[in-house]
Structure formats: structure tokens, C-alpha cells
Amino acid sequence: MSNITNVPAHIAARIAARQQAGTKSSVASAIVSDGISIPRISIRAGRYRLNEDGVETTVGVTLDTIIVGANPRVSKVFYGKLFDASAENVRPDCWSNDGLKPDASVKAPVHGSCADCPHNVLGSKVLPSGAKSKMCADQRHLAVVPAADPSKVYSLTVPVSGMKALREYFKELGNYGIGPEEVITELGFDDQASYPKITFKQKGYVPEKAISRVDNLLESEPVKVATRQIAPQSAGPALAAPATQQAIAVAPKPQAVDDAYEEEEAPPVAMKAQEVPQKPAKPVVSAVKATDELAAKIDSLFDE
């Protein structure tokens, strides 16, 4: 492999063509491919990591993104054994992308309905602090693109520990009539938490020349795949409205679910993830401007 970097021009051209078309060598795919892979962002060990086709790229403790999609329902994930942070690609024992019933690919569902599952009850798990929690953890699936390179849609699983911050962030933007897809969102970590707890911060606005491209992504298939609303490489039905309670299309081999960390201190009274308490007044928040360096970098990406 010593000459792997000395790629001749004609091979380099073939590599570039495959990357542009999003295809791979058919010979390599027969051996290396391991089912359908969804590009995703991991928060393992308190670092943002881009995962695609088995290759992991560590970004760091922050990542500038544009949020281009969100699953309208709270998803569920259950691990029968204690979580092992050193283990790779640990698959949960049961999970649901729509929060209604287990995914069709779950080999041994705990229950046929999430609403009646004994693991989806507050108090089925007690945290070390003594606070009540649930064995089956809530999650939110988002679709994001890196702000500095918005050519690839990634799936981001927000654990229950980050869901409150996500709701408050979206509400704060909504108070000013701003959509999450219109701003640069810096993903970070709460440095006061003993586990990777996601934070969200507005860092700037999507440039005018980029906004139409972002709009085109909002209802695209890659976004619906990333948010687990349809199966990968499928034009299957999108997630139905809550009243219909229909099942969604299911991936034959879903991506491993990201770590579902619990809150260290949970409230003593249950509150559904979809419910958002009303505040008496809107918060007074000054607009955040993008740095000149980031703005210039983003602008240059969309120059025709």
C-alpha cells in the first residue's frame, strides 16, 4: 500500500466521477458493504464525529450545522444491558422510529405497542440520584448538514438529555419568527454534565445565496431517511399524521442508534416529550451574528 497516494490521473478521474455520482466500486461493495448505511453524527466520548460508510471523522467538541429536518414524533430506544461506552455499534434490543410500535426489524419486541410497554413508564428506571426515569428512552432524530460543507445530509440522534435544550432552542427562534433551517446552529456540549449532553446555539444566518439550496433539502428523500421517516434508498410512504397511527417504512438493517444518555436529575412528575410548558413572556435575546471568517467560507461554497 506504499503507492496508495501516487494515484495516476486516469484513476483519480474515475474516483472523482464516482464521488460526484455517489457510487462505489461494484467489486469493493460486494465485500466491504454491510447493509444500508445512513451518514450520521455520533457524540461518542464527547466529540462530534461524522460517520459514513464505516469511516469516522472526528470533528471536535463543537460542530456548525444547518438543521434541515426533524422527525415530528419522539422515537424510542431500549437497551436490555447496561450501556458500555467502549463498545462500538451496539444495537438496542428494541426501538421505535415513530414512538407508536416497535420497528419491524426488531427481533424480539418487548411489547406490541409503545403506549402499553412496561419499559415506557416513568418509574420503570430509577437513576442513581433517586429520580424516576424510563427504561425505554426518548430520542429525537434530526437531519443536518455541516455549515461549512452543506453537500451531505447527516442524521443526528438527540438523546433525552438534549431534548429539552432542543425544544427551548426552537421556541426561542420561533419567538422571532425564525426557522431552524434559516440559521447556523452550533452543536456543543454542556461542560457541567458528566456525559455528552448536546447544546444548541445560534451562530449566524444562512447566506442568501444558500437559502434556496437549503429549501430544496427540506422535503427531500435524504432528509426523510436521516430522520427515520422512510427507509434508505426507498420512495416508501412518509410518516403519517399522528391521528392515523400508521406504521412507517422500515429499513431492512437500521443504523445503530446513538447513545441514549439519561438526565442526571429527572423531574418527579412525568411530562410527555411533545408537551412544552407555556412561558408568560418571550425571552429577550439579541441576534447572534456569524463571524466574518465563517460567513466568508459559507459564501464561497455557493458561488456559481
Side-chain angles (χ1 to χ4, degrees), residues 54 67 70 82 145 165 190 200 202 228 230 248 291:
I67 300 175
L82 291 176
V145 293
D190 184 346
F200 305 86
Q202 181 195 358
R228 311 303 205 271
I230 64 173
I248 63 172
T291 62

Side-chain angles (χ1 to χ4, degrees), residues 184-207:
I184 308 299
T185 297
E186 179 188 80
L187 303 177
F189 292 110
D190 184 346
D191 56 11
Q192 300 299 313
S194 60
Y195 51 89
K197 184 176 181 179
I198 299 178
T199 60
F200 305 86
K201 177 182 177 182
Q202 181 195 358
K203 195 171 181 179
Y205 297 92
V206 176

